[in-house]
């Protein structure tokens, strides 16, 4: 199998302000990052590649799953291992960090 490092995506999640509507910190950066990851994952799958996303934040999950769904047009399975459930939303998360809620977002139960 040919493995290539595509390098880092130019994405950052910065900010201390909680969005009043969603309860997410740095909401604009989260949305931009999610959209970029979604687009790149879909492009790689469409090109016949198998993306492997490695990063330091669970907030990557919704974009990666959406990109795979866009490219494959099918239901996806997920095995999730983490230190906590990642099922908070903008109200139940004490921090407002997108990393608290990626599964809730991906399952349609979060902002």
């Amino acid at each position: 199998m040919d493995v290539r490092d595509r390098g880092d995506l130019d994405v950052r999640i910065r900010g201390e302000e909680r969005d009043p509507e969603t309860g997410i910190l740095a909401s604009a950066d989260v949305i931009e990052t999610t959209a970029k990851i979604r687009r790149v994952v879909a492009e790689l799958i469409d090109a016949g590649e198998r993306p492997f996303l490695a990063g330091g934040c669970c907030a990557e999950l919704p974009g990666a799953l959406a990109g795979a769904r866009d490219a494959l047009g099918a239901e996806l399975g997920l095995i999730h291992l983490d230190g906590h459930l990642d099922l908070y939303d903008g109200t139940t998360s004490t921090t407002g960090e997108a990393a608290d809620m990626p599964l809730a977002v991906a399952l349609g139960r979060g902002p």
Side-chain angles (χ1 to χ4, degrees):
M1 174 190 312
D2 181 32
V3 178
R4 290 181 287 154
D5 183 347
R6 297 276 184 167
D8 296 338
L9 293 179
D10 185 20
V11 296
R12 301 284 182 273
I13 298 177
R14 304 166 302 257
E16 300 298 322
E17 300 279 330
R18 266 182 113 145
D19 179 71
E21 186 176 328
T22 64
I24 299 175
L25 282 179
S27 182
D29 280 356
V30 171
I31 291 168
E32 182 180 331
T33 296
T34 300
K36 188 174 280 189
I37 291 170
R38 181 180 189 166
R39 180 182 49 77
V40 170
V41 166
E43 288 172 358
L44 289 170
I45 292 172
D46 284 341
E49 298 188 39
R50 188 176 299 173
F52 178 83
L53 182 67
C57 180
C58 299
E60 300 165 344
L61 185 63
L65 290 173
R69 186 193 60 224
D70 292 347
L72 300 171
E75 290 186 22
L76 302 174
L78 173 68
I79 297 172
H80 183 75
L81 302 172
D82 196 351
H84 65 288
L85 295 177
D86 291 349
L87 287 168
Y88 295 104
D89 60 31
T91 303
T92 58
S93 168
T94 59
T95 68
E97 293 181 14
D100 283 352
M101 49 192 98
L103 283 183
V105 170
L107 296 172
R109 297 175 183 265

